[in-house]
Amino acid sequence: MTTTDAVPVLRDAALDERPAVRVRGLVRRYGRRAVVDGLDLDVRPGEVFALLGPNGAGKTTTVEMLAGLRPRDGGSVEVLGEDPASGDRRWRGRVGVVGQTTGTGNALTVRETLDHYGRYHARPLPTGELLAEVGLAEAAAQRVDKLSGGQRRRLEVAIGVQGRPELLFLDEPTTGMDPVARRQFWSLVEGLRDRGTTVVLTTHYLDEAAHLADRVGVITAGRLVDVAPPAELGAHLRRAATVRWTEAGVTREVVTETPARTLRDLLAAAGAGEVPGLTVTRPGLEDVYLRLVAAPEEDR
Amino acid sequence: MTAPSTIAVRTARPAPPSAGAIGLARIGLELRLYVRDPAQIAFSFAYPVVMLVIFGSVFGDEQVLPGVGLLQYFLPGIAATGVMLTSFQAVGTAVAEERDRGDLARLQTLGTPALAYGIGKAGQVVVTTVAQLAVLLAVAALAYDIALPTDGPRWLTFAWVVALGSVAGTVLGLAVATFIGSARSAGAGIPAFAVVLQFLSGVFFADSDLPTWMDRVAALFPLKWMVQGMRSVFLPDSAAAIEQAGSWEHGTTAVVLVAWVIIGAVVCARTFRWRRAA
């Protein structure tokens, strides 16, 4: 065959295009209730993907299934090219997880903790480097049970990235952090992304998703209702503008996709006079998000 | 070496450390956590020595048999209790707590082999049990003038009773922690069960004084056999006459302890969970 030479090249290209995470029809039931209910999802290599949704939407359950920590009841999942349900230790070494409910031996110091968990990996990041990276260098000699909530989360992240994962799952990483700690945490995630780590994070904070994520997936009632870059989320909802004005002391409101036409009509009717209380507004990210999660059936 | 395999080696991640290597690291971790836990030190490590001191103050020079003082008679029961506490009780309460706190969920996310976790626990049990028995026997010999055996066969018996007893205690502690659920119920239930078992198993009484039904119930559990095996180590052979069986029953002791090791290991292998049931 004359095309033999081209084969490896084609294969490499295929590898590059393969998504880091590919999910089709994912289902998880607790009893008769489907917590995750036919979820589809693709995460590209190297991106920061945020799963945004209210409490109880199925974010944590989804992440736990993708990370191979819980079995699924239906659908197909591929994470770094393998099914997490049967992922071996070598696969798991490529995946980092920062969960909400994971603990560490409380009686150890921060440094002892990192030194210990380093021994679970073939090529761990050096403890000193990790401490500096997550901003815990000064707390290195403190016992874990003496750390603040924010420091504890950073320790969790340090353990999560210690094995140099290609893909990192962060489950509500900043819940309970004060604003300063959240900002520090965000730069930490940006640093990871800059070095090529794919990040999947769950959050119920809009500003966090908007700030960090290349793409946001809005999840509610166990389904993904929209996926887009933060600025383009809910595009069909954003097209509608609200024109408001006051007429005979009563506030009038028109929701329209053609606000200019509505305005022309209004102005024509007013002749040379003013239109009192006139505003034209488009929905912001928060409005879009609230409408997406409030009435998924109508707006999808 | 062929070219493709060189490329494969260069591009692949190195294999993760073996279960043995992680298990070894965990033994160090477990020991460090153990000595930093005041509750474990008090209720599993120091408890037998306290028991010995209390028994020593209550019983003076009373004798069970000619030449066998009461304290000497109860030393085997105290030693066997010590093994149960550093294995079954310490492991059972710690595992329930670690599962509640999410330490085990963390190990799951790191892909830790369950075997490595078991190695860590077993190593911790061996070290703490040996240290505890050394302290107990030293206090018995130095403070209470109890003569310790001088012949090899008795120490050999001691060694296999301790080894089988502590391994059985470890696997049963792991198994019980899975069924008992929360750390709260483990912290209350396991020590209470241990105390009842001590009464049943003749730790506090001369074996011949136990009602027969109690001896029969106790015979289902490992502790009675550990106590009996320990008596064969620390008491003169003439004392076998006041056993209910009239002899030390080494064969039965070994069979029962091995059976519990197997039962515990099978239950662990089938039911061990990193997380509490959802």
Side-chain angles (χ1 to χ4, degrees), chain A residues 64 69-70 89-90 92-94 97 101-108 112 116-117 119-123 156 159 163-166, chain B residues 12-19 21-22 24-26 29 32-33 36 101-103 105-113 275 278:
Chain A
E64 285 177 348
L69 305 176
R70 281 194 195 281
R89 290 188 60 209
R90 200 180 279 268
R92 200 169 278 290
R94 301 165 63 199
V97 184
T101 54
T102 43
T104 51
N106 283 334
L108 296 180
E112 284 173 333
H116 173 73
Y117 288 116
R119 295 175 67 178
Y120 292 55
H121 303 288
R123 292 180 309 145
E156 302 271 340
I159 298 171
R164 307 172 199 258
E166 293 160 45
Chain B
R13 282 178 167 251
S18 68
I22 296 177
L24 218 56
R26 286 207 60 83
L29 176 84
R32 223 183 303 191
L33 292 176
R36 290 182 194 179
R101 203 169 46 206
D103 294 10
R106 138 101 51 251
L107 295 182
Q108 185 195 20
T109 66
L110 292 172
T112 314
R275 291 158 185 267

Side-chain angles (χ1 to χ4, degrees), chain B residues 29-238:
Chain B
L29 176 84
E30 295 278 8
L31 288 172
R32 223 183 303 191
L33 292 176
Y34 187 92
V35 300
R36 290 182 194 179
D37 184 352
Q40 289 291 21
I41 292 296
F43 297 115
S44 81
F45 191 82
Y47 183 85
V49 178
V50 174
M51 225 170 129
L52 180 74
V53 171
I54 291 173
F55 277 37
S57 339
V58 174
F59 309 126
D61 299 326
E62 297 163 58
Q63 296 207 331
V64 188
L65 288 169
V68 179
L70 260 178
L71 195 57
Q72 183 181 0
Y73 186 82
F74 285 120
L75 177 64
I78 296 173
T81 298
V83 174
M84 174 179 68
L85 295 181
T86 48
S87 60
F88 177 71
Q89 179 169 313
V91 170
T93 52
V95 171
E97 202 174 295
E98 288 167 34
R99 191 177 281 126
D100 260 20
R101 203 169 46 206
D103 294 10
L104 293 190
R106 138 101 51 251
L107 295 182
Q108 185 195 20
T109 66
L110 292 172
T112 314
L115 180 63
Y117 182 69
I119 292 173
K121 283 291 176 210
Q124 173 218 304
V125 167
V126 168
V127 173
T128 53
T129 304
V130 166
Q132 178 203 57
L133 290 174
V135 172
L136 178 72
L137 297 184
V139 172
L142 301 176
Y144 295 99
D145 280 330
I146 297 173
L148 300 181
T150 49
D151 54 320
R154 278 172 186 268
W155 285 114
L156 186 67
T157 305
F158 179 77
W160 69 254
V161 170
V162 171
L164 286 178
S166 56
V167 174
T170 305
V171 290
L172 290 174
L174 268 160
V176 162
T178 298
F179 289 105
I180 206 161
S182 78
R184 268 177 72 107
S185 38
I190 292 177
F193 175 76
V195 169
V196 172
L197 199 57
Q198 287 173 59
F199 275 99
L200 290 179
S201 305
V203 170
F204 302 114
F205 312 105
D207 190 53
S208 52
D209 293 346
L210 289 179
T212 314
W213 69 265
M214 204 184 265
D215 196 61
R216 295 235 169 99
V217 172
L220 297 174
F221 298 98
L223 183 61
K224 174 223 146 75
W225 300 100
M226 289 157 64
V227 177
Q228 195 167 315
M230 288 290 190
R231 278 199 291 261
S232 80
V233 172
F234 293 104
L235 302 184
D237 282 336
S238 60

